[in-house]
Amino acid sequence: MSVVDKNVIDFGHEDDDKVTICISDHIPWNSEILQAHLEVLQDKVNTYLDYIESGQIYDDFGGNGKIANIKVIFCHAPSDEAVYYIEKIQEAVVESNISFEWIYRPE
């Protein structure tokens, strides 16, 4: 499962204060495919937002009433331009009262 599997929740878990669903992003940040990569990521985030807003996240992972969190794990370091757009996605998600975080964790 990965960012390209739009309709699949990659994995998730319940913590003390939140329920986190994760996106595994293995696509390199090549400038030639930057726009396509961002579109794939945005589509996956939108799927996750729908999943959270439907309440299905709590049925699947528990934690009803806890903060919903989307976490993106990048296998390749995002470029400065990519970070700019990732932060825009983050701002939009947070406006929906959903937590959003991302990390770079090399393979």
Side-chain angles (χ1 to χ4, degrees), residues 11-66:
F11 54 96
H13 57 62
E14 178 185 357
D15 291 328
D16 291 337
D17 61 343
K18 61 188 171 187
V19 180
T20 299
I21 48 177
C22 300
I23 297 172
S24 176
D25 189 324
H26 65 285
I27 303 171
W29 288 103
N30 300 338
S31 59
E32 305 84 38
I33 62 168
L34 176 66
Q35 190 59 41
H37 187 168
L38 289 168
E39 289 173 10
V40 167
L41 178 60
Q42 183 65 60
D43 285 347
K44 184 81 169 197
V45 169
N46 287 339
T47 296
Y48 276 40
L49 290 171
D50 291 344
Y51 179 76
I52 292 167
E53 290 170 359
S54 74
Q56 189 65 40
I57 186 174
Y58 301 111
D59 292 342
D60 293 344
F61 297 105
N64 194 20
K66 292 185 178 182

